[in-house]
Amino acid sequence: FFFFFFFFSFFFSFFSFFFFFFQHAAVALSAFINGMYELNTVAIVRYCRQKNAAPKLGFLSPHIKQDYEVLYV
C-alpha cells in the first residue's frame, strides 16, 4: 500500500510540475504571437532538421484564429 501511495504522489507531483511549466510556456508563446501579429512582423529563424545538417533560413509568420494561435514557417 505504501509503495502505491508513494508512486502516485510522486507521479502527480511530477505531472503538476510539468503542467505548471507548460502552462507558463503557452502563455509566453501566446504573448509572443500576439505581439508579432499586432506589430505586423515576422521572425527570421535559422534551423537544422538533423544534427549535422547545414542550417537553413526561414521565417515565422503569426496567424490568429478564434480557436487557436499558430506560427507558420
Side-chain angles (χ1 to χ4, degrees), residues 42-60:
V42 297
I44 298 174
V45 295
R46 183 182 80 160
Y47 66 96
C48 296
R49 290 187 183 238
Q50 295 178 348
K51 187 174 183 179
N52 294 327
K56 297 182 180 182
L57 289 177
F59 67 95
L60 299 176

Side-chain angles (χ1 to χ4, degrees), residues 13-56:
S13 64
F14 189 72
F15 178 74
S16 64
F17 169 75
F18 277 107
F19 180 74
F20 180 75
F21 176 74
F22 288 130
Q23 184 179 12
H24 286 287
V27 170
L29 182 61
S30 176
F32 182 67
I33 292 171
N34 281 302
M36 287 177 57
Y37 186 80
E38 289 175 6
L39 295 175
N40 197 23
T41 60
V42 297
I44 298 174
V45 295
R46 183 182 80 160
Y47 66 96
C48 296
R49 290 187 183 238
Q50 295 178 348
K51 187 174 183 179
N52 294 327
K56 297 182 180 182

